[in-house]
């Protein structure tokens, strides 16, 4: 039983999938049209989204100008993971992303867990992005005046039911008061969020060429606008605003970890398009690095301009870029603020497109392996896209976005992504000494971590003792300010305690097994970021995984293609 749970994909399985394009049992291959440029644009489309127009403001408010250190830290952590992703992408040139990679490195059960995790990541992330797009769209429409007429989307058609019911804002109060009623039920929904999801789903359904074309156009437009914003903003920068650089210390900078990381998870999505790349083993690694480097530079420059134009204390707003230009009292600045609003709509739509593109291909990969019903792997005979999975993804995202407000669980998406990154980095470490590992055109540079990782562990211990209030004694103190032992204090420290144990075990293994430094650093960085995600999100995440395990043992384990081949 244990051996069956960890059965792995072999080189023969992968070669057959690549050679035959075997998706639904009929050899219906997908269109291989994506180049390095297309993949890079997809990465930029997914990474440079709502974060650069909204969450960067709250992160700057908490961290001050020093927020650029967080962008650097997140990009380095993602960079280590991207190197591991690149090796797997070169080694396993089929769709499925971290799900398929885990199937090769750890076996079927872990693959199912990460596949189920990715489905949650994409679904919740897409719902949040669709709702965010709706907010930008309705704000833009409300700002348009044509003569004496003022365009306006009724609040009850741009607000979810639960937010309207709570009536905590003027918009939600208006939605609740003006909504059509059917008896005791009020008709309230977020129609723009549903419509953009339906439109994006249609574009993805009709073909990868159309998706590629739409993505490229949106990326070119939003990068041009961001460059305009940065150049124009330089004329309003006052270096005095960069002091103090770390007004709330490093703790203030790290407060924005989850929000900022949510902006960086896009490069994971492009790995799901492996079977639509002209040369996935060469092009996917290049595109991952290109998009990550370009986006890091963009985020850092925008953060410097933003915090240079005004004090960080003024940036706790939903639209920081438009806000800082609107306060400049200049005709040109007001014009640019309007352009930023349009760009935010384009940027958010591009994120939704790439994420909606990724989820059906994970459904498809899991179905191909027998872990989901065959219909999930059905390829449209004309459009060459996973037809059923694409439509299902549209419903799974569009319906909740129409009626619910799930923006509060965006952090849960970051937990799911980090979990995937940890397994990908761990997978490279596991394969390091595997004599039967698959050949890869791109390999993670080997740097022996035998002495470096223990050194980092010692330095971390010293820095923790020096900078944490009260050192280790203060950390182990589980009493609140009133001297009472409370669960709230305990569970807030549990994730960091577990990270310390993980760091120690990794240090021992690095010393005894000569682990490669880069995947170790990726593993540790992402594990630390997980500890910053909060125990509430971990509880939700574990509940989701338990549901997934029930489904696996009810259906997936019995219908696994590798399992059936082993029996035959």
């Amino acid at each position: 039983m244990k051996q069956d749970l960890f059965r792995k994909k072999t080189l023969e399985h992968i070669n057959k999938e690549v050679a035959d394009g075997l998706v639904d049992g009929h050899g219906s291959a997908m269109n291989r049209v994506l180049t390095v440029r297309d993949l890079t644009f997809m990465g930029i489309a997914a990474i440079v989204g709502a974060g650069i127009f909204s969450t960067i403001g709250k992160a700057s408010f908490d961290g001050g100008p020093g927020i650029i250190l967080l962008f650097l830290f997140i990009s380095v952590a993602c960079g280590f993971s991207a190197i591991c992703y690149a090796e797997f992408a070169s080694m396993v040139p089929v769709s499925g992303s971290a799900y398929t990679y885990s199937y090769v490195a750890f076996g079927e059960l872990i693959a199912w867990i990460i596949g189920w995790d990715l489905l949650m990541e994409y679904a919740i992330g897409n719902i949040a992005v669709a709702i965010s797009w709706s907010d930008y769209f309705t704000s833009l429409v409300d700002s348009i005046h044509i003569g004496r007429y003022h365009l306006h989307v009724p609040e009850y058609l741009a607000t979810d039911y639960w937010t309207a019911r709570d009536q905590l804002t003027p918009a939600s109060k208006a939605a609740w008061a003006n909504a059509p009623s059917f008896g005791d039920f009020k008709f309230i929904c977020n129609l723009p969020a549903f419509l953009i999801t339906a439109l994006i789903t249609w574009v993805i359904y009709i073909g990868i060429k159309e998706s590629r074309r739409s993505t490229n156009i949106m990326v070119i437009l939003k990068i041009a606008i961001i460059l305009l914003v940065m150049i124009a903003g330089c004329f309003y920068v006052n270096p005095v605003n960069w002091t103090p650089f770390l007004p709330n210390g490093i703790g203030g900078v790290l407060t924005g970890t989850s929000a900022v990381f949510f902006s960086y998870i896009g490069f994971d999505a492009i790995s799901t398009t492996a079977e639509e790349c002209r040369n996935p083993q060469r092009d996917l690694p290049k595109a991952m690095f290109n998009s990550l480097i370009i986006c890091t530079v963009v985020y850092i420059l925008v953060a410097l301009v933003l915090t240079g134009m005004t004090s960080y204390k003024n940036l706790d707003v939903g639209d920081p870029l438009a806000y800082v230009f609107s306060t400049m009292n200049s005709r040109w600045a007001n014009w640019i603020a309007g352009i930023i609003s349009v760009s935010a709509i384009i940027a958010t739509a591009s994120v939704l497109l790439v994420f909606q593109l990724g989820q059906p291909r994970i459904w498809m990969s899991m179905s191909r392996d027998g872990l989901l019903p065959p219909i999930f792997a059905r390829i449209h005979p004309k459009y060459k896209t996973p037809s059923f999975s694409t439509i299902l993804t549209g419903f799974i995202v569009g319906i909740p976005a129409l009626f619910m407000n799930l923006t509060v669980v965006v952090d849960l998406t970051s937990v799911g992504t980090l979990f995937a990154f940890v397994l990908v980095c761990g997978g490279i470490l596991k394969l390091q000494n595997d004599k039967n590992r698959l050949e890869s055109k791109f390999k993670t540079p080997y740097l022996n971590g035998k002495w470096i990782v223990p050194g980092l562990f010692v330095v971390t211990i010293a820095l923790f003792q020096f900078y944490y209030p009260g050192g280790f004694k203060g950390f182990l103190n589980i009493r609140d300010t009133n001297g009472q032992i409370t669960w709230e204090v305990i569970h807030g420290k549990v994730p960091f305690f577990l990270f310390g144990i993980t760091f120690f075990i990794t240090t021992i293994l690095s010393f005894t097994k000569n682990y490669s430094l880069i995947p170790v650093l990726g593993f540790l960085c992402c594990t630390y970021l997980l500890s910053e995600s909060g125990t509430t999100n971990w509880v939700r995440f574990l509940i989701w995984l338990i549901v997934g395990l029930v489904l696996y043992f009810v259906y997936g384990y019995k219908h696994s293609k590798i399992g059936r081949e082993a029996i035959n």
Side-chain angles (χ1 to χ4, degrees), residues 21-151:
L22 187 60
V23 178
D24 58 0
H26 303 289
S28 181
M30 305 173 79
N31 285 331
R32 291 190 177 273
V33 298
L34 300 179
T35 63
V36 173
R37 185 192 67 178
D38 299 325
L39 293 166
T40 300
F41 275 26
M42 282 188 174
I44 296 173
I47 297 173
V48 179
I52 207 164
F53 296 98
S54 57
T55 54
I56 193 174
K58 181 62 167 64
S60 298
F61 173 77
D62 292 328
I67 192 63
I68 64 171
L69 299 179
L70 180 58
F71 284 118
L72 285 172
F73 174 57
I74 298 292
S75 66
V76 168
C78 288
F80 292 140
S81 301
I83 292 174
C84 298
Y85 261 93
E87 180 169 353
F88 268 123
S90 181
M91 184 191 307
V92 188
V94 294
S95 297
S97 183
Y99 158 75
T100 304
Y101 306 157
S102 296
Y103 218 142
V104 171
F106 298 107
E108 187 170 282
L109 180 61
I110 303 300
W112 168 268
I113 289 174
I114 198 62
W116 187 249
D117 159 56
L118 289 173
L119 295 178
M120 175 205 68
E121 168 199 328
Y122 281 109
I124 293 178
N126 290 352
I127 293 167
V129 172
I131 293 171
S132 178
W133 186 91
S134 175
D135 292 339
Y136 286 123
F137 176 77
T138 52
S139 295
L140 179 64
V141 170
D142 286 349
S143 68
I144 297 176
H145 294 75
I146 302 176
R148 293 180 300 172
Y149 297 100
H150 173 210
L151 298 184

Side-chain angles (χ1 to χ4, degrees), residues 256-324:
T257 297
S258 294
V260 170
F261 186 80
F262 180 71
S263 304
Y264 269 84
I265 65 180
F267 79 86
D268 166 80
I270 64 176
S271 65
T272 65
T273 64
E275 291 174 41
E276 291 151 295
C277 303
R278 291 180 181 175
N279 189 340
Q281 292 177 300
R282 180 198 67 190
D283 295 347
L284 278 173
K286 289 183 179 180
M288 288 178 183
F289 299 138
N290 290 346
S291 58
L292 194 58
I293 292 170
I294 292 171
C295 294
T296 298
V297 172
V298 167
Y299 269 106
I300 289 176
L301 292 178
V302 169
L304 285 173
V305 170
L306 189 65
T307 55
M309 291 179 67
T310 187
S311 169
Y312 72 94
K313 298 177 182 178
N314 301 325
L315 293 176
D316 190 15
V317 292
D319 54 348
L321 285 180
Y323 166 77
V324 293

Side-chain angles (χ1 to χ4, degrees), residues 82-256:
I83 292 174
C84 298
Y85 261 93
E87 180 169 353
F88 268 123
S90 181
M91 184 191 307
V92 188
V94 294
S95 297
S97 183
Y99 158 75
T100 304
Y101 306 157
S102 296
Y103 218 142
V104 171
F106 298 107
E108 187 170 282
L109 180 61
I110 303 300
W112 168 268
I113 289 174
I114 198 62
W116 187 249
D117 159 56
L118 289 173
L119 295 178
M120 175 205 68
E121 168 199 328
Y122 281 109
I124 293 178
N126 290 352
I127 293 167
V129 172
I131 293 171
S132 178
W133 186 91
S134 175
D135 292 339
Y136 286 123
F137 176 77
T138 52
S139 295
L140 179 64
V141 170
D142 286 349
S143 68
I144 297 176
H145 294 75
I146 302 176
R148 293 180 300 172
Y149 297 100
H150 173 210
L151 298 184
H152 176 66
V153 178
E155 287 83 1
Y156 63 85
L157 291 180
T159 307
D160 66 276
Y161 182 87
W162 313 106
T163 299
R165 187 190 63 177
D166 292 339
Q167 302 186 63
L168 298 178
T169 64
S172 61
K173 291 178 181 178
W176 190 259
N178 300 324
S181 298
F182 302 93
D184 294 332
F185 176 78
K186 290 180 176 290
F187 181 78
I188 300 172
C189 65
N190 195 333
L191 187 60
F194 176 81
L195 293 178
I196 188 61
T197 303
L199 176 62
I200 293 294
T201 302
W202 175 76
V203 171
I204 294 169
Y205 181 84
I206 63 174
I208 190 65
K209 291 182 180 179
E210 289 72 17
S211 301
R212 175 188 66 179
R213 190 178 300 116
S214 301
T215 300
N216 291 351
I217 292 172
M218 286 190 285
V219 167
I220 291 172
L221 285 174
K222 73 179 177 182
I223 290 298
I225 293 172
I226 289 172
L227 288 175
L228 171 65
V229 168
M230 288 191 293
I231 294 172
C234 288
F235 293 97
Y236 298 98
V237 166
N238 182 356
V240 173
N241 290 323
W242 289 331
T243 305
F245 187 68
L246 293 172
N248 299 314
I250 197 66
V253 171
L254 293 176
T255 300

